[in-house]
Structures are given as C-alpha cells and as structure tokens.
Amino acid sequence: MSPVLDTAFIPPRDREEVVRNAVWDSVVAVDIDHRPAAEDLSVRIGLGTVGPLRICSARATAVTIRRTERLAREDEEPAIFLGLQVTGTSLVAQNGRECVLGPGEFAVYESIAPYTLLFEEGVDHHFLRFPRAALALPDRLLRDTGSVTLGPGNPTARLAFSYFSRLAADDALHQGVHADAVVEPSVELLRAVLTTQHGNSDLARGPLESTLGLRITQYIRAHLADPDLSAARIAAAHDISVRHLYAVLSGLGISLGDWIRTHRLAECRRELSGPSGRLRTIAAIRRRWGFVNATHFSKVFKQAYGLSPRAWRDQNHSLRDSGDSGILGDRDRTFERYHLG
C-alpha cells in the first residue's frame, strides 16, 4: 500500500485535523476520537483505489471512530465497508449488534446507518469500501450479516481474508489492467461471503460459482509446498468432482499440472536468489516445492528461466556480494524512515 500520511512528520497541533481531512476526503465522513494527547498521537495511513473500490490501510494509536446519524443521512453514495483485523482486537457496533474482531477476522458494516469502531489497543487494520449497489444484495441480508465476526468458521470468509489482505497491500493490483481484472472477482467474493454467512443458498449459488476459479487458484497457491497436492484433493476441498475442477480451470485457460509446476518453479527461483539460497542446498529447496527428481528439476528450471538453478543462485548472490545490496539497503531504509512499511 502506497504511503500517504504519517503524523510523525506533522506538528502535534495539526495532527488531528490532518488525519480527519484525509479520512473524510478519501474514505468516509466520521468523527474521530483519539485517545492519546496530540503529541503522543501516531497515525500512518496508506490509501489506494481499485476501480470503484477504495482501500485504506491504517496503523495508529488507540482511537474511537463514529459514523453519526447526521453523517449517515448525508451519504451521497451508500457503501459497504469491509474491516479486516491484522493484529490486536477491535469492536464493531451497528444496528444494535456488536462483534469483536481478532487477527484474521473481519466484519462488514454500512455507511447509511450509524456505527462505532473501537480500537482500544490501537489500529492495525485494512478498510475496504464497496459501492452498496455493486453487491446487489437485499437490505435484510446486509443488515443480518453486518457487525458479525467473519473468519475461520466460514471457509469462504477464510479465503476472503487472505484475498482482501493481499489486495489491500499490493500496489501492483491497484493499477491498469490488474485493477480492472480484480474488481469483479472482489465484488463477487464479498457477495459469496455474505450470502453463505446468511445461509441463502439461492443467492449464494451465483457468486460461489463465479468465484470458484479464484478460490481454486488461491487454494493451490496456499498448498503449493504440500507433497500430496493433487486434482482429487483440490476438488474435494471445494466439494466438486475432478471433472468439474478441470472444466473450471479449462475455462480460465489453466492446465493444472503446468500451472502448479510454473508456480513451484517461481518459488524455487525466489528462494534460490534470497537469503535462504545461501543457507539451504538446491536439493532441499527443490524438494520443498515438490520436485523429486534433480535432473528433471534442472531441465524445467533452465527451460523456464534460461539458467540452471545453480547458475541462477550464483548470479544473484554474486551481485549481492558486489556491493549493490548496500546501496539498495540504504535506499530501502531511507524509504522506511519516511513512509509506511
């Protein structure tokens, strides 16, 4: 997430106003009650957009955020907010219901009704704003699923947390064709979470089917290192037949075996050029990512990247040893000093 605001570089007397204006202009109009005194107040915010979706990633000292009845009435574009808890805990209250969020959990709430967000331990949170009309869900369903803790108990919500956390953090997904490509899957995935949580099988069927390909590829990515990853296991994890699995992937232009091999090779390349490339043997790295035969691994790696695994590792570590890393490291440390990490 691109850094936008860091109160460390704002005079204490101006911090509350600057934060308020940034949130009002980019996210939503709310009252913000900071717990610490101005000189101890710390807020770091990154903002992004993905088509019609708005994203705010925030780390801050303790705060209470209130969307008052007056502000809710003035909303020009009704929205649904998705709040993802990264670390610590928070509380969401709306329409007479409260829920507590822990790491890996999230909740939704609406802009057209008053709500309160309580961050007693400080803020480490991703906020995503969706146009309410884009979800095309009944009012009753949105009310019933609002201010409800969503997370590990709902497999679709579990996937959604990983997906939306990545979407919030990865600037490359906020630009050009990548942003265009993820808008519809993002909307449909949130629809799938809310409809399955509500238990409405008719409404859930459409978004679940439309996001099936996304859920399958996310599952494969998460289990790339598993030696027993197979078509049968992937299909069983999604309650579909192997034949249906291949049909879904074919519709996406994906050959399962090639896709898995390509992404496993990419992980091997990443490890070989990273710090672990020095500490672990090539054999250990290839076995970790499912390549049993050393000759076959060397062959497909060279076909993919033009170098053998050993040559790739040696080339990257010789560049790092030449002193380039010192320059890059200084630049990165300077960036971190003035911006969000």
Side-chain angles (χ1 to χ4, degrees), residues 28-233:
V28 67
V30 287
D31 288 343
I32 305 173
D33 179 16
H34 297 280
R35 300 294 181 84
E39 59 270 20
D40 298 320
L41 187 156
S42 173
V43 179
R44 294 186 294 168
I45 293 176
L47 299 170
T49 59
V50 181
L53 315 183
R54 298 183 190 179
I55 302 171
C56 172
S57 294
R59 297 177 185 172
T61 43
V63 66
T64 299
I65 297 171
R66 294 183 179 88
R67 175 83 165 162
T68 65
E69 192 165 341
R70 178 182 62 81
L71 293 173
R73 284 199 307 268
E74 295 174 357
D75 200 17
E76 295 180 1
E77 182 192 27
I80 298 296
F81 282 95
L82 176 63
L84 299 105
Q85 189 74 27
V86 181
T87 63
T89 61
S90 64
L91 180 141
V92 179
Q94 187 174 57
N95 294 326
R97 183 188 293 130
E98 295 182 353
C99 71
V100 175
L101 303 180
E105 297 176 332
F106 63 96
V108 297
Y109 43 96
E110 300 184 76
S111 68
I112 59 174
Y115 62 75
T116 298
L117 309 178
L118 180 62
F119 297 92
E120 288 189 329
E121 305 170 6
V123 182
D124 191 1
H125 214 76
H126 297 303
F127 304 87
L128 289 87
R129 174 175 175 150
F130 290 74
R132 196 173 188 272
L135 292 171
L137 290 172
D139 293 348
R140 175 65 182 274
L141 185 147
L142 291 173
R143 285 195 300 272
D144 289 348
T145 53
S147 300
V148 172
T149 302
L150 302 167
N154 179 332
T156 311
R158 205 162 51 231
L159 164 70
F161 184 89
S162 299
Y163 173 86
F164 287 120
S165 295
R166 177 69 180 271
L167 180 63
D170 193 339
D171 286 340
L173 294 173
H174 305 171
Q175 303 168 11
V177 295
H178 304 292
D180 295 338
V182 300
V183 170
E184 184 176 351
S186 299
V187 171
E188 292 299 332
L189 182 55
L190 182 54
R191 277 175 51 85
V193 171
L194 298 181
T195 52
T196 54
Q197 181 71 25
H198 191 261
N200 189 322
S201 59
D202 291 335
L203 283 173
R205 192 173 298 114
L208 279 175
E209 184 61 31
S210 66
T211 61
L212 182 57
L214 171 68
R215 290 186 285 123
I216 288 170
T217 54
Q218 288 273 5
Y219 178 88
I220 298 171
R221 286 180 187 275
H223 295 87
L224 271 177
D226 294 359
D228 62 342
L229 185 64
S230 65
R233 176 181 163 185

